[in-house]
Amino acid sequence: MSQDQNKDHKLDGQPDPSRRKFLNTAAFAGLAGAGLSVGLSACKQEQAPAPAAPAAPAAAPVAHGSANATHLKPGELDTYYGFWSGGHTGDFRVLGLPSGREITRVPCFVPDALTGWGITNESKKIMGTKPDGSLRYTVADTHHTHASYKDGNYDGRYAWINDKINSRLARIRLDYFTCDKITELPNVQGFHGIFPDKRDPVDPAINYTTRVFCGSEFQIPLPNAGKDVNDPSKYRSMFTCVDAETMEVRWQVLIDGNCDLAATSYDGKLAATNQYNTEGGVLYPDMMSAERDACLFFNVARIEQAVKEGKFKTYGDSKVPVVDGTRESNKDPKTALTCTVSVPKNPHGVNASPDGKYFICAGKLSPTATVIELAKVLDWFEGNLESADKAIVAEVEIGLGPLHTAFDGRGNAYTTLFLDSQVVKWNVDAAIKFSAGDTAQKYVVDRLDVQYQPGHINASQSETAAADGKYLCVGCKFSKDRFLPVGPLHPENEQLIDISGEKMVLLADHPVRPEPHDFIIMKRELINPKQVYNIDDFPLAIKDPKDSGVFREGKKVTVKMYSMAPAFSLTEFKLKVGDEVTLILTNLDKVEDLTHGFAIPKYNVNFIVNPQETASVTFKVDKPGVFWCYCTHFCHALHLEMRSRMIVEA
């Protein structure tokens, strides 16, 4: 079903719709060039939504709906934090909104030369090492980031981010904006979507996040140890639950098909993943052969009861309990651990509405959005719903290539249309009434052209019960002509949109280094960062000047130093070729924003210590001579004089 209120026309100063049509044609041509015949499910020519116009220019913007809203006065702070995935850089990016200014990057999965992440012993312990002490992995692909909840809103404790390449989950402490734990998930590959729970499904007193759910995109043999590699029918995916505090894997669910993204209900009872490859296909055509795929729901309380009762198995060396969530084993709703709701083929994205009533799956290869009522899913688990598909309360056409959905807290959803290069604003209740037969309902409210081919989308506080409907960010995968050319590799384009009024208003473009994916936006008052570390949190801290010095036990040498601008406690220290050295540095300065660095030429050492922080490095001395260690982070008018000589005797 489809309907649209807008007519196609060109507005002065807006992109020519013919250009958008060209991009659509190119996208389809790419699939055709791969030898595929790909149709859009339920999208016949006469049924397709009419091409829509860009939103009208904001002659008299409402509220903050002006480009001036993005240009803050000197010293003026942003009103929101934006947490972005870093993509191939393997980090967690922190932006201020509405300005779009990048404030910091938190290294997680990949070494960082500025901070010494992956150089210091403390960071290497978190990242994981091989037996020889080198890092286990030095590449990553971060896609999705989400934060912890309390009473349906962000609580400022933690954020999490995934590494798709090596199936790792990192946790960021939001008091210090540092990564403190990384967990590698067993039995999976292509770990993609994540989402924290919002409360406990059984205990009402636990009204905060205690679990993080993780979906694996690629199917593999289990155990993946060389057997059944040529028999894709034996490949399986897992849905994983990680403890939010310990970061240990609690349990996994064996499923049919794969996982894409994840969502959780506000009552804590349900988690879900959209599945674009229920066929278990290995090749393109096999992954798109079914007309409908699925949104798979997990009954969290039942799964944990099954684990408690020992109804699980393990695979290979992993001790993680794995329960059976396959369709064949979950036919009886009253005992089922999972519930399969069909959605149009190859969906991309599942998102929970702020009112807690619905999950929405975007169609990708279908021009539709599917609205699933969670109360009806729970009815199915109780045996009170004839078919799981009866939980679908709307399935409406919204445009070509729908991917991800955000919300404004006023009943409206905003979905990216990759092929149309648009964001479509549509009303959920009107879509439900339209699907129920009231064809007079105009569920499409507005459309806005974006530049170009949008993927992820999120709005201020969108994925909380406190969605405020002020700003919308959309991540466009191609920037093309929007920025100064810098060679073949283009930046991506993150666009900021005002959604406070009836019409969407594009406010700003921001170039970003490829390739970020998902992001969240939260009010700044929900975060309370600390500007100075607690020295007592570091067991190796040098708190007393008399503890500084060089301590030798045979070939093992410990160098203990502290820094206090503009000097290191040791003006020199002597070593011998063949020594194994552990150098410990504490920053005794207590002044906010007074960070010190420490670099050793020719020894590949550089790291920082923030106020009251301690860090250490271990290295083998293999070159005789004089090596000037120096502070790499500007700290004082005598910063250039802040040095220490490392003298290595042959």
Side-chain angles (χ1 to χ4, degrees):
M1 297 184 196
S2 72
Q3 55 91 60
D4 206 320
Q5 294 171 268
N6 300 322
K7 300 296 182 183
D8 199 6
H9 61 285
K10 185 177 184 297
L11 296 174
D12 291 340
Q14 296 292 338
D16 188 338
S18 64
R19 180 168 194 171
R20 174 161 51 84
K21 292 175 182 176
F22 167 78
L23 291 168
N24 295 349
T25 304
F28 280 113
L31 290 173
L36 301 172
S37 177
V38 181
L40 290 174
S41 306
C43 186
K44 298 178 182 178
Q45 186 172 1
E46 67 272 17
Q47 294 176 322
V62 295
H64 53 271
S66 164
N68 290 331
T70 69
H71 297 288
L72 304 182
K73 297 176 183 178
E76 184 180 359
L77 299 181
D78 283 288
T79 50
Y80 297 90
Y81 281 96
F83 296 154
W84 256 253
S85 65
H88 310 312
T89 56
D91 55 21
F92 173 89
R93 300 178 186 177
V94 182
L95 276 63
L97 292 172
S99 74
R101 298 176 296 193
E102 183 175 289
I103 301 171
T104 191
R105 296 187 182 190
V106 180
C108 296
F109 300 112
V110 173
D112 178 67
L114 185 156
T115 62
W117 188 258
I119 299 293
T120 65
N121 296 324
E122 292 77 12
S123 61
K124 291 171 73 174
K125 183 178 179 181
I126 293 170
M127 295 176 76
T129 57
K130 299 176 182 177
D132 66 359
S134 63
L135 292 175
R136 187 178 299 137
Y137 306 112
T138 57
V139 298
D141 182 20
T142 59
H143 279 233
H144 295 276
T145 182
H146 291 286
S148 55
Y149 288 81
K150 184 175 182 180
D151 289 326
N153 198 2
Y154 298 126
D155 64 6
R157 286 185 299 142
Y158 301 125
W160 292 269
I161 194 166
N162 77 310
D163 166 25
K164 183 174 178 177
I165 295 177
N166 295 307
S167 297
R168 294 178 290 173
L169 178 69
R171 186 177 73 184
I172 294 92
R173 285 181 55 170
L174 295 180
D175 54 353
Y176 290 118
F177 280 83
T178 57
C179 174
D180 74 331
K181 287 183 181 292
I182 293 177
T183 298
E184 184 172 351
L185 308 185
N187 303 320
V188 303
Q189 282 185 20
F191 159 37
H192 191 200
I194 68 171
F195 217 101
D197 70 354
K198 301 180 179 79
R199 64 186 316 120
D200 191 83
V202 177
D203 187 349
I206 303 176
N207 59 344
Y208 52 87
T209 294
T210 57
R211 306 166 181 81
V212 182
F213 299 106
C214 312
S216 59
E217 202 172 342
F218 307 146
Q219 293 137 304
I220 57 175
L222 292 172
N224 191 22
K227 186 180 179 182
D228 298 324
V229 294
N230 295 312
D231 185 1
S233 68
K234 300 288 182 66
Y235 295 4
R236 287 291 184 271
S237 287
M238 297 272 195
F239 189 76
T240 302
C241 176
V242 176
D243 188 282
E245 288 295 335
T246 67
M247 287 290 285
E248 295 178 356
V249 179
R250 285 192 181 187
W251 43 261
Q252 293 180 304
V253 183
L254 183 75
I255 64 172
D256 300 304
N258 74 336
C259 302
D260 189 9
L261 306 189
T264 59
S265 63
Y266 281 84
D267 60 9
K269 296 179 180 179
L270 297 172
T273 182
N274 61 298
Q275 298 184 282
Y276 68 78
N277 186 17
T278 54
E279 306 92 334
V282 174
L283 304 175
Y284 249 179
D286 300 329
M287 297 181 195
M288 294 181 284
S289 59
E291 280 304 308
R292 293 184 75 83
D293 280 298
C295 183
L296 183 63
F297 288 85
F298 300 86
N299 189 311
V300 178
R302 286 187 187 177
I303 290 169
E304 297 192 344
Q305 184 62 33
V307 171
K308 186 177 180 180
E309 293 173 358
K311 298 176 181 178
F312 63 83
K313 62 188 302 185
T314 61
Y315 289 91
D317 296 333
S318 171
K319 303 302 181 186
V320 173
V322 179
V323 300
D324 189 346
T326 60
R327 287 186 289 274
E328 183 63 31
S329 300
N330 290 272
K331 292 181 177 179
D332 183 356
K334 293 185 177 181
T335 59
L337 308 180
T338 60
C339 169
T340 302
V341 177
S342 76
V343 297
K345 67 191 306 178
N346 295 75
H348 189 68
V350 56
N351 300 93
S353 61
D355 59 10
K357 294 180 180 179
Y358 309 110
F359 280 3
I360 294 176
C361 285
K364 192 169 77 174
L365 294 189
S366 166
T368 55
T370 302
V371 183
I372 302 169
E373 187 174 342
L374 301 186
K376 292 182 181 293
V377 174
L378 292 173
D379 284 345
W380 182 87
F381 276 116
E382 295 301 319
N384 297 326
L385 196 68
E386 178 185 353
S387 164
D389 279 5
K390 297 290 186 182
I392 299 172
V393 292
E395 195 163 277
V396 291
E397 290 187 12
I398 56 174
L400 300 181
L403 295 183
H404 300 278
T405 301
F407 306 91
D408 62 11
R410 299 187 294 270
N412 300 308
Y414 300 76
T415 302
T416 49
L417 303 176
F418 183 80
L419 296 178
D420 277 336
S421 271
Q422 286 186 332
V423 173
V424 57
K425 174 182 178 180
W426 54 285
N427 185 271
V428 177
D429 285 342
I432 293 171
K433 293 174 182 176
F434 182 87
S435 295
D438 184 358
T439 56
Q441 291 289 327
K442 303 295 184 182
Y443 60 84
V444 171
V445 179
D446 189 26
R447 295 181 184 272
L448 179 69
D449 279 354
V450 294
Q451 291 74 35
Y452 303 92
Q453 319 310 131
H456 284 283
I457 191 171
N458 220 319
S460 46
Q461 296 281 144
S462 170
E463 297 186 286
T464 74
D468 64 13
K470 291 185 178 179
Y471 293 110
L472 182 77
C473 284
V474 55
C476 297
K477 308 313 290 182
F478 301 98
S479 63
K480 297 188 179 295
D481 56 2
R482 303 294 283 192
F483 307 110
L484 288 172
V486 288
L489 180 62
H490 288 50
E492 294 189 6
N493 188 12
E494 303 282 326
Q495 295 189 302
L496 180 69
I497 298 167
D498 172 15
I499 57 170
S500 61
E502 192 71 4
K503 290 284 187 180
M504 295 178 281
V505 179
L506 180 61
L507 297 179
D509 287 7
H510 296 286
V512 289
R513 191 179 185 199
E515 177 178 298
H517 291 265
D518 205 6
F519 47 88
I520 60 174
I521 304 167
M522 68 173 70
K523 292 182 177 179
R524 73 183 188 197
E525 56 264 30
L526 297 174
I527 306 292
N528 187 28
K530 299 175 182 178
Q531 306 298 309
V532 176
Y533 277 103
N534 181 352
I535 197 170
D536 294 330
D537 289 341
F538 301 94
L540 299 180
I542 294 98
K543 302 178 184 179
D544 192 318
K546 72 177 187 302
D547 294 331
S548 178
V550 179
F551 305 87
R552 177 179 291 275
E553 292 185 11
K555 287 288 186 181
K556 290 186 179 293
V557 180
T558 302
V559 179
K560 296 183 178 182
M561 303 177 65
Y562 64 84
S563 60
M564 185 175 289
F568 295 113
S569 60
L570 300 180
T571 57
E572 65 177 47
F573 55 98
K574 294 183 178 180
L575 305 170
K576 297 177 181 179
V577 170
D579 286 345
E580 181 184 297
V581 179
T582 296
L583 187 148
I584 304 168
L585 178 64
T586 297
N587 181 349
L588 290 183
D589 282 306
K590 299 179 180 180
V591 179
E592 176 182 338
D593 198 17
L594 214 171
T595 295
H596 296 302
F598 193 87
I600 307 177
K602 310 301 182 182
Y603 276 88
N604 200 39
V605 170
N606 182 41
F607 63 97
I608 64 171
V609 280
N610 292 295
Q612 298 287 286
E613 182 183 17
T614 297
S616 66
V617 292
T618 299
F619 57 96
K620 198 75 174 283
V621 178
D622 58 3
K623 304 176 197 65
V626 174
F627 303 90
W628 283 100
C629 308
Y630 67 98
C631 179
T632 54
H633 208 91
F634 192 90
C635 60
H636 193 275
L638 295 176
H639 167 71
L640 293 179
E641 288 80 4
M642 189 171 175
R643 311 179 194 174
S644 177
R645 278 190 305 163
M646 185 174 82
I647 300 172
V648 179
E649 301 171 346

